[in-house]
Amino acid sequence: MELGQFTGGEWFLVAQHELLLFAAVFFAFGVIDELAVDLVYFWLVLTGRGADLRIDESRLSQDTLAGPAAVFIPAWDEADVIGPTMTHLLTVWPQDALTLYIGCYRNDIRTIASALASARGDSRVRIVICDADGPTSKADCLNRLYRALLEDEARSGEAVRMVVLQDAEDMVDPAALAILDDAIATADFVQLPVLALPQSNSRLVGSHYSDEFAEAHAKTMVVRDRIGAGVPGAGVGSAIARQVLEKMGSEPFARQSLTEDYELGLGIARMGLRTRFVRCRTTDGRLVATRAFFPSRLDIAVRQKTRWMHGIALQSWDRLGWTGSWPDLWMQLRDRRGPLAAILLVVAYVLVFGVLVALMAFELGLAEPVPLTPLLEVLLMLNLAGFVWRMALRGWFTGREFGWREGLLAIPRTLVSNIIAIMACRRALVAYVRTLRGSPVVWDKTDHRDHPALVDWDRNPA
């Protein structure tokens, strides 16, 4: 049949077939990529190099550190959570060699007042007021804290041994500081896992972060550490050797970056220095990690993931380029595939709708089915098997940390994750174009209202 003799329904089916082939090819690349990471991970586990380290918490020296430590917490509009964060941190980290630096803004009186009240006269707390109205950027606030540290070191004549990064909404683990203190002796940058806690009031939006972090910080981060790729910072639970910050200049945190934490770890690795990802469990099975509640509302979750996608997938392409060893390049490619993955998800959902339309066309006799080619059949089978495998792994990693019920919920929550990624992709592309036109980088921070230390949650559900 000549092209001009095709009916409208037949044209629709041909277009659908070609779009299906396009999506199947790129999804297949994704399946192969994920399978490669999975195979490396399970090989590491089988050989004993990927298993969580076991520590006896009672034997950790939680009274002394090998040297002074500074903890940086930037805080803009965090009056609701900075108090519980400070109270918990100062209680479970009793070391005298610790100094807690809280970065506030002069036009954020509520956060300043909350931080002052929570300090309770503890000599280890240093509240630093940024000399500009907020918000500027998170990196700008961190650089102000670094200048305050330099001033304190000049007065005391003693330099700190490491700087630890945390966020205003975090609940730190009692064993974390001692582990970071030990690990920084053999590394220049150390990252501990992050656990996004499930939320009973947000089983879909808020809790989908639990699934993503449970898998990423149990598998992907372990793989990139073991194969020698640079370990990116998560912004929390991170420790940097003091001399490394000095090598990075007067402003070690990238002021113009939306994801300065991500760039920090990779930047240190590019200097030829050692970065580490450390997973430890206590004897009772508790994962030593930073715990936090993530956004429970759809609009806030989209806004947060917009910043991540903009900074990691788009900005870093310009700021960091493509350099390093093959493990670094592999992980950079994975980090920056977010926009393409979101576009493919849109195509996939369009195809699902197209199948329904096609079935109606067949029933009405408007068109005949377009036969699948052998190549397309193989690709579809590969993608189906990859999807089932992905869901099984996602549920397993989530269930290992939070129990089997959350593991089962992780499967339908994948749809929520996909929808948020699609919405964030559109906003990230628009925001990126604006920055290319000269728009300034501002702190598009996430609103926080709940804190794990104030909520009764199961600390060891697995």
Side-chain angles (χ1 to χ4, degrees):
M1 181 183 295
E2 297 181 1
L3 293 179
Q5 297 177 324
F6 277 17
T7 65
E10 289 168 337
W11 272 114
F12 173 81
L13 292 178
V14 170
Q16 182 190 46
H17 181 276
E18 296 305 307
L19 189 61
L20 181 61
L21 179 60
F22 165 81
V25 169
F26 280 96
F27 273 121
F29 283 129
V31 168
I32 294 171
D33 175 56
E34 287 294 341
L35 183 60
V37 174
D38 296 338
L39 291 175
V40 173
Y41 171 74
F42 285 113
W43 173 253
L44 291 171
V45 172
L46 289 173
T47 56
R49 297 165 53 207
D52 297 343
L53 301 175
R54 289 286 174 171
I55 60 168
D56 186 347
E57 191 176 7
S58 64
R59 294 185 179 182
L60 286 175
S61 177
Q62 295 186 343
D63 296 325
T64 60
L65 297 173
V71 179
F72 287 0
I73 298 183
W76 161 254
D77 191 23
E78 300 286 15
D80 293 329
V81 293
I82 191 62
T85 293
M86 292 175 60
T87 300
H88 176 78
L89 184 150
L90 293 169
T91 300
V92 302
W93 289 355
Q95 294 89 340
D96 292 332
L98 166 71
T99 302
L100 175 60
Y101 290 80
I102 307 294
C104 301
Y105 286 87
R106 63 189 185 187
N107 60 329
D108 187 7
I109 303 302
R110 290 184 65 244
T111 299
I112 295 174
S114 181
L116 285 170
S118 301
R120 300 177 182 177
D122 194 318
S123 60
R124 297 179 298 163
V125 178
R126 176 98 144 78
I127 296 177
V128 180
I129 308 300
C130 296
D131 51 1
D133 288 343
T136 52
S137 67
K138 185 177 179 181
D140 182 59
C141 188
L142 288 169
N143 285 327
R144 177 64 185 92
L145 293 178
Y146 180 62
R147 291 196 297 272
L149 172 64
L150 294 178
E151 294 166 1
D152 288 351
E153 290 178 333
R155 279 192 294 266
S156 67
E158 183 181 20
V160 301
R161 182 168 176 262
M162 68 175 177
V163 172
V164 177
L165 304 182
Q166 296 291 162
D167 274 347
E169 73 278 10
D170 295 340
M171 186 171 77
V172 300
D173 191 279
L177 189 62
I179 290 173
L180 290 172
D181 182 58
D182 179 68
I184 207 69
T186 57
D188 300 286
F189 175 84
V190 180
Q191 178 65 57
L192 296 181
V194 177
L195 277 183
L197 299 176
Q199 302 175 51
S200 58
N201 64 336
S202 184
R203 287 295 186 191
L204 297 178
V205 175
S207 298
H208 92 276
Y209 288 94
S210 306
D211 315 325
E212 293 181 346
F213 276 90
E215 183 172 6
H217 282 219
K219 181 189 72 175
T220 311
M221 291 288 281
V222 171
V223 168
R224 66 190 304 163
D225 175 67
R226 300 301 188 272
I227 66 175
V231 174
V236 302
S238 308
I240 312 105
R242 174 65 183 85
Q243 68 270 20
V244 172
L245 286 176
E246 189 169 353
K247 292 178 181 178
M248 300 179 76
S250 60
E251 292 195 344
F253 302 98
R255 182 192 296 265
Q256 296 302 315
S257 174
L258 289 167
T259 49
E260 76 296 324
D261 44 6
Y262 171 84
E263 289 191 17
L264 179 68
L266 296 186
I268 292 173
R270 291 187 178 198
M271 295 167 63
L273 303 175
R274 188 184 182 197
T275 60
R276 287 188 62 192
F277 181 72
V278 178
R279 275 184 65 96
C280 297
R281 290 187 185 274
T282 58
T283 51
D284 64 355
R286 187 186 79 244
L287 180 67
V288 179
T290 300
R291 291 167 170 80
F293 288 134
F294 280 70
S296 58
R297 283 173 39 191
L298 179 62
D299 58 334
I300 301 178
V302 169
R303 193 172 70 195
Q304 182 184 61
K305 289 200 169 183
T306 296
R307 178 170 60 84
W308 290 353
M309 190 176 295
H310 184 177
I312 295 174
L314 300 173
Q315 250 195 354
S316 67
W317 189 301
D318 295 332
R319 295 177 54 83
L320 301 179
W322 297 86
T323 60
S325 61
W326 72 262
D328 288 311
L329 293 172
W330 181 20
M331 292 300 132
Q332 288 168 26
L333 182 62
R334 289 175 54 83
D335 292 342
R336 298 171 188 179
R337 67 183 181 179
L340 176 59
I343 293 172
L344 289 175
L345 287 172
V346 172
V347 172
Y349 290 129
V350 169
L351 286 170
V352 170
F353 176 75
V355 168
L356 299 178
V357 175
L359 291 175
M360 294 177 59
F362 300 155
E363 290 295 325
L364 296 174
L366 299 177
E368 293 294 328
V370 176
L372 300 179
T373 63
L375 173 62
L376 185 54
E377 289 182 349
V378 170
L379 290 173
L380 291 177
M381 291 300 295
L382 174 63
N383 288 329
L384 177 60
F387 174 77
V388 173
W389 176 247
R390 289 260 58 76
M391 293 302 97
L393 274 190
R394 176 63 62 90
W396 180 71
F397 280 112
T398 301
R400 187 173 68 163
E401 296 299 339
F402 304 112
W404 64 270
R405 291 182 179 84
E406 292 296 333
L408 290 177
L409 285 172
I411 297 175
R413 280 199 293 250
T414 303
L415 176 61
V416 177
S417 178
N418 291 343
I419 293 173
I420 292 174
I422 292 170
M423 297 171 70
C425 177
R426 183 193 66 81
R427 295 182 81 248
L429 290 171
V430 172
Y432 180 60
V433 171
R434 287 175 180 169
T435 59
L436 292 178
R437 293 177 176 176
S439 296
V441 175
V442 297
W443 192 348
D444 188 15
K445 65 173 290 295
T446 306
D447 296 328
H448 303 108
R449 296 291 176 261
D450 298 322
H451 195 280
L454 301 179
V455 178
D456 183 19
W457 60 279
D458 189 359
R459 293 172 183 267
N460 188 24

